[in-house]
Amino acid sequence: MKPAPFVHHVPRSLDEAVEMLARVAEDDGRILAGGQTLVPTMALRLARPSHLVDINTIPELTRIEVADGALVVGACVRHAAFHRPVEPGPLGALLATVVRHIAHLPIRTRGTMCGSLANADPASEWCLVAETLGAMLELRSVRGTRTIAADAFNLGYLETALAPDEMLAFVRLPLLPATTRFGFEEVSRRAGDYAQAMALAVCEIEGGVMRAVRLGLGAVEGKPRRLAEAEALLEGARPEPDLFRRAGAVASGLAEPVEADEEVAVYKRHLAGVVVERALLRAASIATDGSSHEIIRGVP
Amino acid sequence: MTAAPDGGKTFGRDVPRMEDRPLVTGRGRFVDDIRMPDLLHAAFVRSAHAHARILGIDAEAARRVPGVAAVLTMDDLRPHLSGDRLVTALPSPSFRLDLHRPVLAFEETAHVGEPIAVVIALSRYVAEDAADLVEVSCEALPAVEDCRAALAPGSPVAHSSAAHNLVAEFHLGYGDVEAAFAGAAHVFREKLWQHRGGGHSIECRGLVARHDPVDDLLTVWSSTQTPHPARQILSDLLRRDPDRIRVVVPDVGGGFGPKLVFYPEEAVVAAAALLLGRPVKWIEDRREHFVATTQERDQYWDVELAVDADARILGVRGSMIHDHGAYSARGTNVPYGAAAAMPLPYMVPAYRLDVRCAATNKVPVTPVRGAGQPQGVFAMERLLDRAAQALGLDRDEIRRRNLVPAERMPYATPLKTRGGMQVVLDSGDYPGCQALALLRAGWEGFAARKATARAAGRRIGIGLANSVEGTGRGPYEQVRVRVAADGRVRVATGAAPMGQGTRTMLAQIVAEQLGGDMANVDVVAGDTAAVALGFGGFNSRQAVVAGSAAHAAAIAVRTRVLAAAASLLEASEADLDVEGRTVKVKGSDVTIDLGAVARAAAGLPGFAVPGGQPGLDVTESVVIDEMAYANASAVAEVEVDAGTGTVTITKITFAHDCGRVIHPGLVDGQVIGGIAHGIGNALFERMGYDADAQPVTTTLGDYLLVTAEAIPAIDLVHMSSPTALNALGVKGVGEAGVIPITAAVASAVEDALDDLGVTITGMPLSPAGLLARIRQATTP
Ligand SMILES: Cc1cc2nc3c(=O)[nH]c(=O)nc-3n(C[C@H](O)[C@H](O)[C@H](O)COP(=O)(O)OP(=O)(O)OC[C@H]3O[C@@H](n4cnc5c(N)ncnc54)[C@H](O)[C@@H]3O)c2cc1C
């Protein structure tokens, strides 16, 4: 489990990074962010990049701030940065809730939000958040800057719209109105494992009914998706367990797991309904039936 | 021998572990910490095929890589070895095929991961780069994946030289089983699948081999559980005087069974060090561990229980198919252990289990902590639960009626051990142990808790299992005890610690006789240079066999110390005692240093040796053939999420009896570790292969080991029924924790789902599988 030979490049600035990337892109040059996915893949020799452009020492990429109604997160911001709310509104609380489901603490201190988005694992929590909230991604290359929506960026199962010479420099997550409620539910085999299914429900409750409902499902299909049919069912309706069960059934019906194993596919389709229902119960602050286990990780 | 000490100066006390300080201050020395000038590094070229004929190996490109010292295949090694196979399986008349592992595969490979060639280079990086360039041309052959299909007529064969896949068959049993079933009031039958994974010690395997031409000594530092057997195999294979080979076990980061086996890599690296005249290191990485280190895997049981109208057991019978893997690396001891463990805690008048071991194109199977016993216990306990359920009896009641009662100890069963000796349950109070576990677990009050939880929409359940385990496998383990001229007490043995605190245990036993000062005792363990003979660590044996030898040697040395001191002090031996580092005349200030006694006892030319015997130095090998039987009762509490099929173990109560306890903290540690292992076996660990016998779980991301968060509150309860089989009264404890856990968890999960009638017939439980059963039961 030793990687094949590679050249390690250490740029000092974002501009220098994209220049280096442009030079080595042809030769399977890659960005090295937290390395929590890339390095193990290299150790198994499943990836053999001949050049790594290491962005870990670029100060401007550690940027995390609110600007123009969005939270801007640079490519070097680690998962662990979100353990405590990074902004006082519901978005900060949402990110702080979700981050605890990503891997284990040591991995969270290295892995990055942008690295997760660029890696586009179907079970990535950040990909689900970006999809559900409609994040905008800023891509840089020597050819210039372009900004695209998360949905257009993520092409499914480890595929993205990134060109070989392009890097994801910043992600912009829209702030959520102060009255927003959210619920996140994940099923995984062990604490810290990638999800088998997860759902994120976001809404406001006004005059006893749900508004601005966003419902995302992750880890079931090749990429996370919004569940428009279920959102329509919920929009303007009263938050009630029966309705949530129906929304879950809609999710199960829509889900098309990409599993070769039929037993796993059946299981994931079922889980899709369970996580959607439970995420909605959490968003509406209705206690789940108690059988779901919110796992508290070792977070300082 | 004098009677064993009980709660003495050091024996029976929670003394600080002597292993801890170096380990927690970063001064442990594991095999990979061993560095030396000129060290070369090995990487193995392994089979990518589950079964293939080797047509040719082209290593030219690899040999040309700068930094590569050698690429060796079997053809290169054969002239230097006495044979091309490792003959390491324990003998058994049950074998129908001889499947000895090649040192390096030549002709044919029989599992993915089998070593075919080795690259020796300046660094592991270079070695792996070059290993990638070794071209092995192969013709794929049909692979055998499923051990049941392997035995069906027309199955492909795992080895093209074999006519079939039946590696071994045997039956275990006694009594008139047919009559027992003919006369039974009720008969219950279960078809069970049981799977266990690998050992997965944190530290994988590894070794460094160095030949010193000055004294012509080949030293092998190996992360092995069995140094003396390893030396013998190396001696035979390399045609080298065993005195010119030293196998040393440095600090070991866990063994759990697989490291008791001698492996091809050990032979190849040692041979390479001799051939190249330079030290060579090989450190197994995790991916190799998944495909090259032995595992336990599948067993399929089909068993029946016959009881009378009062639910008293009349007989047990059935058959079992065991996945043996591609080769015989250790023998048939896993299925034998499983079959032998099944009836043990209970009075079973007639028993017969027919066992067939099937060759498959997978990693060889050898013992993992528990060595088949958890599977035997699972089979028995499942049958008892089924009977209790059908007869409307409480699960504890049916067991109470059938457990071997304390009054009948020692209880001679008609069973035989693999060595042909009668199984005699030496001591213990099995019903008392169960009662204690139930009491501590709040078994009586659980129904009320369950009803309350159910009303709130939660499914909780409780389960129970009993186990009896043969510990302290003989025949002996040699221990040398001496008092050196500096007054320090030196203990030396081939017993091999792998993290259990073996050094502390031995020091406690010896210090008890020789001054009671742990700080004055040094222990060298796991070193063939320490004593002439030895076995190592496996089968919960070292406290029993090495402990007994240490005790005997320490007493003998004490006798010599007192005799010599009596002569030096002109006192009577009866008035002397060893205290700390001195011998003291009781009730006076007269003392003499142990060092002074040792020097005097070494003698002077022309003078009489004080005490009459030269040297304060005794080596003992106390032979103990009979096994000491330890027992346990486990109660598991679980919660089942019926929406996801997820099982959470919320509490384990574990009552057990390992005889006299040498070190309470070490015993707790062993039991808790075993319980964690059992939880992994119940809920997580699964070594997956696809239909072509390609392994599909080869990282710790795919193969789920138990993690700290899955470990519930554990309540340990100790009983102590000293065995009469050794002077210390101790029984082994290293495997105790794991054995009844899968059975207790299965029972608890069934209890949580009792209204649905879901039955548990396999381990590990997968959420998807369990959910499918729940949904089957709930959809009309
Ligand atoms: C045991 C374990 C458990 C894990 N569990 C989870 C989990 O539950 N959920 C989860 O979401 N993740 C999980 N991960 C993955 C972890 O979150 C990774 O950190 C993340 O997927 C990648 O982020 P990184 O910064 O480490 O990227 P790296 O490993 O450095 O890179 C990953 C890939 O993305 C590319 N890349 C990285 N950053 C950029 C960029 N800015 N622009 C362009 N390309 C880029 C790299 O070239 C590489 O191809 C787990 C990892 C481990 C080891």
Side-chain angles (χ1 to χ4, degrees):
Chain A
M1 288 178 74
K2 305 289 185 205
F6 60 89
V7 184
H8 185 221
H9 303 269
V10 187
R12 298 279 142 71
S13 67
L14 185 48
D15 288 341
E16 213 185 315
V18 293
E19 273 163 36
M20 283 176 174
L21 188 59
R23 261 183 277 130
V24 299
E26 289 282 270
D27 211 5
D28 194 17
R30 299 235 205 141
I31 298 287
L32 173 66
Q36 297 304 294
T37 297
L38 184 54
V39 171
T41 317
M42 289 169 64
L44 293 165
R45 297 195 178 213
L46 296 172
R48 293 166 171 255
S50 33
H51 297 269
L52 290 185
V53 177
D54 183 342
I55 59 171
N56 284 281
T57 51
I58 300 176
E60 54 204 291
L61 293 180
T62 59
R63 183 175 157 206
I64 176 161
E65 64 183 8
V66 172
D68 303 328
L71 178 71
V72 183
V73 180
C76 272
V77 175
R78 318 280 171 191
H79 302 316
F82 301 93
H83 282 161
R84 293 205 178 75
V86 291
E87 64 93 29
L91 180 62
L94 185 156
L95 298 173
T97 300
V98 172
V99 71
R100 280 149 206 267
H101 294 265
I102 302 174
H104 309 272
L105 182 62
I107 294 164
R108 295 199 292 266
T109 64
R110 295 289 305 168
T112 63
M113 178 182 269
C114 286
S116 289
L117 297 175
N119 193 53
D121 191 292
S124 153
E125 283 82 0
W126 290 147
C127 289
L128 172 64
V129 168
E131 181 79 31
T132 309
L133 301 185
M136 297 301 290
L137 282 57
E138 185 180 323
L139 316 187
R140 292 278 187 98
S141 73
V142 285
R143 295 174 288 116
T145 300
R146 59 178 178 133
T147 299
I148 65 172
D151 186 52
F153 176 80
N154 189 332
L155 303 181
Y157 200 76
L158 310 179
E159 298 274 351
T160 68
L162 279 169
D165 67 343
E166 248 178 344
M167 67 172 283
L168 170 57
F170 300 97
V171 54
R172 292 190 163 73
L173 295 156
L175 293 184
L176 296 167
T179 53
T180 303
R181 301 154 156 270
F182 66 87
F184 178 76
E185 180 73 21
E186 172 170 325
V187 176
S188 62
R189 284 298 301 273
R190 300 171 304 180
D193 282 345
Y194 273 110
Q196 293 186 299
M198 61 182 157
L200 176 62
V202 182
C203 67
E204 293 168 59
I205 298 182
E206 263 177 38
V209 299
M210 289 181 286
R211 298 278 176 218
V213 181
R214 286 167 177 267
L215 192 57
L217 173 68
V220 173
E221 302 181 339
K223 63 176 268 193
R225 68 138 101 181
R226 293 265 300 267
L227 298 164
E229 293 85 339
E231 288 176 359
L233 181 73
L234 297 161
E235 189 71 36
R238 297 193 161 276
E240 274 159 8
D242 262 358
L243 178 68
F244 296 162
R245 189 155 303 134
R246 270 161 51 215
V250 170
S252 273
L254 290 173
E256 289 175 21
V258 283
E259 298 291 337
D261 183 334
E262 183 52 26
E263 187 188 72
V264 181
V266 168
Y267 183 58
K268 286 208 160 193
R269 211 172 291 126
H270 170 83
L271 286 186
V274 173
V275 291
V276 161
E277 182 186 342
R278 291 182 184 176
L280 286 165
L281 288 166
R282 287 187 193 282
S285 310
I286 301 172
T288 66
D289 64 3
S291 54
S292 88
H293 305 280
E294 176 66 12
I295 294 153
I296 308 304
R297 310 278 167 70
V299 172
Chain B
M1 253 180 256
T2 62
D6 211 352
K9 298 174 193 160
T10 54
F11 187 101
R13 298 198 181 280
D14 260 329
V15 299
R17 294 199 337 153
M18 50 204 287
E19 293 85 353
D20 287 340
R21 180 173 269 283
L23 290 177
V24 301
T25 55
R27 279 176 295 158
R29 194 176 72 150
F30 297 86
V31 63
D32 201 17
D33 295 323
I34 296 171
R35 271 152 229 188
M36 55 187 66
D38 283 342
L39 186 61
L40 296 171
H41 299 263
F44 284 85
V45 178
R46 297 182 181 279
S47 175
H49 294 273
H51 191 195
R53 182 167 296 121
I54 299 175
L55 304 173
I57 304 169
D58 181 356
E60 277 325 299
R63 289 197 173 102
R64 282 199 302 271
V65 172
V68 169
V71 182
L72 304 171
T73 64
M74 195 64 234
D75 284 346
D76 302 306
L77 290 178
R78 199 175 276 109
H80 308 281
L81 303 179
S82 61
D84 48 26
R85 297 200 178 252
L86 301 176
V87 183
T88 56
L90 297 170
S92 165
S94 63
F95 278 114
R96 304 285 173 268
L97 293 174
D98 280 337
L99 299 179
H100 302 304
R101 292 164 297 165
V103 174
L104 285 172
F106 45 104
E107 295 173 344
E108 192 166 308
T109 74
H111 68 86
V112 171
E114 189 172 2
I116 297 174
V118 67
V119 179
I120 316 277
L122 287 179
S123 77
R124 177 68 177 249
Y125 289 87
V126 175
E128 289 194 19
D129 291 347
D132 273 358
L133 301 175
V134 175
E135 296 268 357
V136 182
S137 43
C138 283
E139 176 197 335
L141 297 170
V144 180
E145 194 276 325
D146 186 297
C147 59
R148 292 163 301 173
L151 298 178
S155 164
V157 282
H159 292 268
S160 55
S161 59
H164 54 80
N165 295 315
L166 183 65
V167 185
E169 68 181 325
F170 60 91
H171 72 266
L172 205 66
Y174 52 80
D176 188 345
V177 178
E178 299 316 315
F181 275 79
H186 310 277
V187 172
F188 303 96
R189 181 174 182 185
E190 286 287 281
K191 293 185 179 187
L192 308 168
W193 162 69
Q194 297 195 61
H195 177 98
R196 294 190 74 206
H200 289 288
S201 42
I202 288 182
E203 183 203 31
C204 297
R205 293 183 291 129
L207 75 155
V208 174
R210 179 182 66 182
H211 178 243
D212 184 338
V214 176
D215 48 14
D216 187 21
L217 181 69
L218 174 70
T219 303
V220 175
W221 292 267
S222 176
S223 185
T224 179
Q225 296 175 216
T226 54
H228 278 89
R231 180 179 66 167
Q232 189 58 50
I233 297 167
L234 285 170
S235 161
D236 292 342
L237 203 61
L238 301 169
R239 290 181 292 225
R240 175 166 259 278
D241 178 351
D243 288 352
R244 302 263 68 84
I245 302 175
R246 177 181 173 203
V247 177
V248 195
V249 184
D251 282 324
V252 168
F256 305 117
K259 288 182 183 173
L260 75 82
V261 175
F262 184 88
Y263 287 89
E265 292 89 348
E266 295 171 89
V268 170
V269 168
L274 287 170
L275 276 175
L276 299 173
R278 284 179 67 174
V280 180
K281 175 189 277 191
W282 171 69
I283 301 297
E284 182 187 57
D285 65 34
R286 186 62 61 181
R287 193 159 52 155
E288 293 180 288
H289 192 77
F290 276 107
V291 296
T293 292
T294 57
Q295 315 165 340
E296 277 195 28
R297 278 189 313 270
D298 299 302
Q299 290 184 347
Y300 293 89
W301 295 66
D302 184 350
V303 279
E304 289 179 291
L305 172 73
V307 295
D308 69 11
D310 293 330
R312 286 189 213 281
I313 299 171
L314 299 172
V316 172
R317 71 178 172 196
S319 62
M320 188 253 281
I321 296 176
H322 170 81
D323 177 354
H324 185 83
Y327 295 104
S328 296
R330 182 66 175 175
T332 55
N333 48 340
V334 173
Y336 198 98
M342 187 177 182
L344 270 192
Y346 302 103
M347 291 177 293
V348 178
Y351 177 55
R352 179 175 175 117
L353 193 75
D354 293 296
V355 178
R356 288 185 297 159
C357 302
T360 56
N361 289 112
K362 300 193 262 183
V363 174
V365 164
T366 72
V368 170
R369 189 185 217 166
Q373 297 172 99
Q375 294 94 313
V377 167
F378 183 82
M380 188 71 200
E381 300 292 308
R382 292 284 68 214
L383 284 170
L384 289 171
D385 276 2
R386 196 61 59 243
Q389 196 180 42
L391 302 177
L393 274 177
D394 284 340
R395 288 168 293 168
D396 54 324
E397 177 56 25
I398 193 168
R399 288 168 169 82
R400 203 173 292 122
R401 289 187 194 173
N402 288 290
L403 282 166
V404 176
E407 318 76 84
R408 305 241 343 231
M409 293 292 174
Y411 180 81
T413 78
L415 265 180
K416 296 263 186 325
T417 68
R418 70 180 187 224
M421 292 168 231
Q422 190 177 17
V423 172
V424 180
L425 304 175
D426 53 280
S427 57
D429 178 357
Y430 305 168
C433 189
Q434 171 175 306
L436 199 54
L438 296 178
L439 185 70
R440 285 282 279 259
W443 179 270
E444 285 300 324
F446 188 78
R449 282 204 283 142
K450 179 171 155 185
T452 311
R454 193 68 68 81
R458 292 170 53 217
R459 293 187 163 276
I460 63 174
I462 197 165
L464 160 73
N466 295 306
S467 61
V468 171
E469 173 202 4
T471 73
R473 176 90 59 195
Y476 65 87
E477 191 69 57
Q478 200 166 63
V479 178
R480 176 182 181 189
V481 175
R482 68 197 169 101
V483 178
D486 58 3
R488 295 189 65 77
V489 177
R490 302 251 150 82
V491 183
T493 178
M498 50 199 114
Q500 331 84 314
T502 306
R503 288 187 179 83
T504 298
M505 176 272 290
L506 293 173
Q508 282 178 277
I509 290 169
V510 172
E512 185 64 37
Q513 305 301 329
L514 291 169
D517 180 3
M518 290 290 288
N520 193 40
V521 184
D522 302 314
V523 182
V524 171
D527 187 345
T528 61
V531 286
L533 299 171
F535 294 92
F538 50 89
N539 217 151
S540 303
R541 70 188 295 275
Q542 299 195 125
V544 177
V545 285
S548 295
H551 181 60
I555 287 172
V557 170
R558 177 187 167 88
T559 305
R560 291 197 188 184
V561 167
L562 296 183
S567 138
L568 294 168
L569 296 174
E570 297 179 352
S572 146
E573 280 174 43
D575 293 337
L576 299 180
D577 196 7
V578 189
E579 256 189 51
R581 297 166 195 214
T582 61
V583 180
K584 198 172 175 212
V585 179
K586 289 180 209 161
S588 85
D589 300 338
V590 182
T591 64
I592 180 168
D593 277 358
L594 275 178
V597 180
R599 279 166 203 276
L604 279 175
F607 293 83
V609 174
Q613 299 239 46
L616 307 177
D617 186 348
V618 175
T619 300
E620 288 282 356
S621 312
V622 177
V623 173
I624 305 174
D625 288 326
E626 300 83 2
M627 298 188 80
Y629 287 86
N631 63 288
S633 300
V635 178
E637 263 184 56
V638 302
E639 178 157 356
V640 178
D641 179 342
T644 64
T646 307
V647 173
T648 305
I649 297 171
T650 49
K651 189 176 177 197
I652 298 278
T653 306
F654 199 93
H656 80 115
D657 189 337
C658 61
R660 212 169 254 131
V661 168
I662 304 171
H663 189 297
L666 286 180
V667 166
D668 285 359
Q670 287 301 305
V671 175
I672 291 169
I675 291 170
H677 204 147
I679 292 173
N681 291 145
L683 300 184
F684 301 112
E685 290 189 53
R686 177 157 190 193
M687 184 64 213
Y689 285 83
D690 71 11
D692 300 319
Q694 284 283 335
V696 294
T697 53
T698 56
T699 71
L700 290 175
D702 299 317
Y703 181 96
L704 309 182
L705 272 184
V706 69
T707 58
E709 282 160 299
I711 307 300
I714 296 176
D715 186 15
L716 298 182
V717 200
H718 303 282
M719 292 181 80
S720 179
S721 309
T723 178
L725 296 174
N726 61 69
L728 296 170
V730 301
K731 306 175 181 180
V733 73
E735 297 168 285
V738 73
I739 296 174
I741 297 300
T742 52
V745 171
S747 184
V749 172
E750 267 185 13
D751 185 43
L753 301 169
D754 57 355
D755 56 324
L756 305 177
V758 169
T759 55
I760 303 301
T761 56
M763 281 282 158
L765 293 168
S766 83
L770 187 59
L771 188 81
R773 283 176 175 232
I774 293 172
R775 295 184 73 196
Q776 223 170 28
T778 47
T779 39

